[in-house]
Amino acid sequence: MVDYEKRYAERKLRVETAVENKQPDRVPNVLLVGTYPIHKAGITAAESMVDHERACQAMLDFYTQYSYTDTGMVSNFTPAAKTLEALDVKTARWPGDPKGLDVNNTYQFVEFPTLLDDEYDEFFDHPAEFWLTKHLPRTIGLLEGAADLDYVDLICGGSQHMLASPANIPIYKRLLEAAEENQKMMAVIGEYTQKLRALGYYDISGGGSATAFDMLGDTLRGTFGMMPDLLLERDNVIRALEIFVKLHIKNSLNFCKNTGSRYAWVMLHKGFDNFISDQDYAELYWPYLRQWIEALVDNGITPVVYTEGSYTSRLKYLKEVPKNKVVYHFEEVDLRQAKKELGDVACLMGGFPAYTVTYGTPKEIDEKVKETLDIMAPGGGYLFTTGYSLEDCPQENMEALLEAVDKYGKY
């Protein structure tokens, strides 16, 4: 009979030893299996966002069948489709949405400016009013009517009349529908997370977030608004970043406090090689990311920095952090250079090309795993996973990947 508590303790020690940039008994396998289990269960991406029980069961079934990995998660981080539909979210497209996205397409973020070219001063002077009467109506179709609110009247005594207006009843009903569906999804995820824990899997997931630069670029200005601002509105950009870094730190610490998680993730969207200049990265991106990292470390939280895109030219900055307190996940990087520059600074993670799992052969996967571990494993401080979450791939490729990490991941 399997002693799952013993297995959990072994996995936890193995992962935490590597996170501390030390050498565990073998290389931890923290594979981001993504939606692979859902596809293999015959569930469409659209169905997985509606039938939460079935989707989570498919994830649990994968970890029950394959016990190679040290960590696991049942959530694929997509919101509930019914919640998105009830709110009429304008910043997302999802599989099977009312606009007709294919049922097996990926969840997509739709980026557009919600802070217009001439609205920086309004945002700085009256941020709550801007958020209520501009940003929310522009991003949530259900709340478009908020654009007509008299904010001064609202805060000076008119709130009771406005909030109790019969005209708002249909809105409240749809808000309740959205909230109840979200609660339902979270309850199912929580239940299956406990089941996964009972099978002895450790959890390093944490609340995903965006750094200050990406908050402004993704959420308010959009890429096509943000890029000219680096030249034309640089002072306003800096002023906004000083605000957003405080929000970023507060949100991450609150998440960890409320969930008990010791890990907080940040996804870096606009900092990869050649997307912005080295000067802009040094002045506008890295300082605020570094503030977030240092604040989390000061509070006993491990930052997991997920670098999207190629990140080799940014390695020189990533060294400027508290030693052996950070995890850097790479999608694409020069592995030898990363190991050389950061090997004695932080735990490294990822770097294995997901496309090899999707399009390669079992033999190619075996060879690539060996090559990757020959570079990254020595001395410890490495967590094996792919550069980004898997979607679908041949079953023999998944099994070849798991078996190769088990075979070559021994010290």
Side-chain angles (χ1 to χ4, degrees):
M1 184 175 179
V2 178
D3 186 340
Y4 289 111
E5 281 304 307
K6 179 181 179 182
R7 183 172 286 182
Y8 175 82
E10 290 172 346
R11 287 167 165 161
K12 181 175 185 290
L13 177 62
R14 182 175 299 128
V15 172
E16 291 184 350
T17 299
V19 167
E20 293 171 0
N21 207 14
K22 299 175 184 177
Q23 181 172 299
D25 59 330
R26 63 174 176 81
V27 174
N29 186 340
V30 299
L31 183 64
L32 302 172
V33 301
T35 56
Y36 172 86
I38 291 171
H39 286 288
K40 284 296 175 280
I43 303 171
T44 68
E47 290 169 335
S48 74
M49 295 178 66
V50 176
D51 192 339
H52 313 303
E53 184 94 24
R54 190 177 172 206
C56 285
Q57 184 63 55
M59 300 296 287
L60 188 68
D61 289 345
F62 172 87
Y63 290 108
T64 302
Q65 179 179 359
Y66 300 108
S67 59
Y68 290 94
T69 65
D70 294 296
T71 62
M73 64 182 73
V74 295
S75 170
N76 62 5
F77 295 110
T78 55
K82 291 180 181 178
T83 296
L84 296 169
E85 189 170 346
L87 295 175
D88 187 15
V89 173
K90 299 178 181 180
T91 54
R93 293 290 309 276
W94 58 95
D97 67 8
K99 295 181 180 179
L101 197 64
D102 184 81
V103 295
N104 270 319
N105 213 311
T106 55
Y107 178 81
Q108 301 173 10
F109 178 71
V110 179
E111 184 184 277
F112 57 88
T114 63
L115 173 70
L116 304 184
D117 292 349
D118 59 350
E119 292 180 338
Y120 268 110
D121 287 341
E122 181 180 351
F123 171 68
F124 292 135
D125 293 342
H126 305 287
E129 180 179 3
F130 179 87
W131 211 256
L132 179 62
T133 63
K134 295 289 180 67
H135 180 76
L136 286 179
R138 291 168 180 172
T139 57
I140 305 293
L142 182 60
L143 301 179
E144 285 179 347
D148 298 324
L149 284 177
D150 186 328
Y151 186 77
V152 175
D153 187 33
L154 180 64
I155 64 175
C156 293
S159 58
Q160 180 176 345
H161 171 73
M162 290 182 185
L163 295 175
S165 171
N168 290 333
I169 292 176
I171 296 175
Y172 294 149
K173 286 182 176 180
R174 286 178 61 185
L175 285 172
L176 180 61
E177 176 187 342
E180 288 178 340
E181 180 65 18
N182 187 64
Q183 183 183 41
K184 175 184 174 182
M185 181 187 72
M186 297 307 297
V188 173
I189 290 174
E191 175 189 351
Y192 277 83
T193 296
Q194 290 302 311
K195 291 180 179 181
L196 190 61
R197 165 63 179 82
L199 288 176
Y201 287 94
Y202 187 53
D203 185 6
I204 61 169
S205 62
S209 62
T211 195
F213 188 97
D214 295 329
M215 285 187 185
L216 179 60
D218 296 348
T219 307
L220 290 177
R221 291 295 286 141
T223 302
F224 289 106
M226 182 74 165
M227 293 301 105
D229 287 355
L230 301 184
L231 296 174
L232 305 176
E233 300 281 356
R234 200 172 185 89
D235 289 344
N236 281 331
V237 168
I238 292 172
R239 187 177 175 186
L241 296 180
E242 294 292 344
I243 295 171
F244 283 130
V245 69
K246 294 180 176 65
L247 293 176
H248 188 200
I249 292 168
K250 181 180 179 180
N251 289 344
S252 295
L253 290 178
N254 283 344
F255 171 85
C256 291
K257 179 181 178 181
N258 293 334
T259 63
S261 176
R262 59 160 291 187
Y263 300 94
W265 288 58
V266 61
M267 286 66 177
L268 309 186
H269 298 154
K270 291 178 165 62
F272 54 88
D273 294 344
N274 300 320
F275 188 77
I276 56 175
S277 70
D278 194 65
Q279 178 182 345
D280 285 339
Y281 188 90
E283 295 179 3
L284 302 176
Y285 204 100
W286 173 245
Y288 303 99
L289 174 57
R290 183 180 179 181
Q291 282 186 52
W292 177 82
I293 290 172
E294 292 176 343
L296 264 63
V297 170
D298 288 345
N299 283 273
I301 304 299
T302 300
V304 182
V305 182
Y306 188 109
T307 65
E308 297 188 7
S310 176
Y311 233 78
T312 302
S313 72
R314 312 303 192 192
L315 294 175
K316 58 189 176 185
Y317 298 103
L318 303 186
K319 294 188 289 188
E320 302 169 358
V321 294
K323 194 171 183 179
N324 302 329
K325 299 292 185 180
V326 183
V327 177
Y328 287 123
H329 178 286
F330 293 105
E331 177 181 340
E332 181 182 342
V333 74
D334 183 319
L335 293 178
R336 294 185 188 281
Q337 189 172 337
K339 185 70 173 180
K340 179 181 178 181
E341 295 198 33
L342 298 175
D344 61 349
V345 174
C347 172
L348 307 182
M349 177 178 173
F352 189 88
Y355 58 79
T356 300
V357 187
T358 304
Y359 301 109
T361 65
K363 183 176 185 295
E364 290 169 339
I365 291 167
D366 184 271
E367 292 172 349
K368 191 65 177 180
V369 168
K370 184 179 187 305
E371 176 188 332
T372 299
L373 292 179
D374 283 347
I375 297 170
M376 302 302 287
Y382 176 63
L383 303 172
F384 179 88
T385 188
T386 48
Y388 51 87
S389 296
L390 296 171
E391 292 186 8
D392 200 7
C393 68
Q395 182 173 334
E396 59 267 26
N397 284 9
M398 172 62 79
E399 292 174 351
L401 179 68
L402 295 170
E403 291 167 4
V405 178
D406 188 60
K407 177 170 58 174
Y408 298 120
K410 298 179 175 64
Y411 286 105

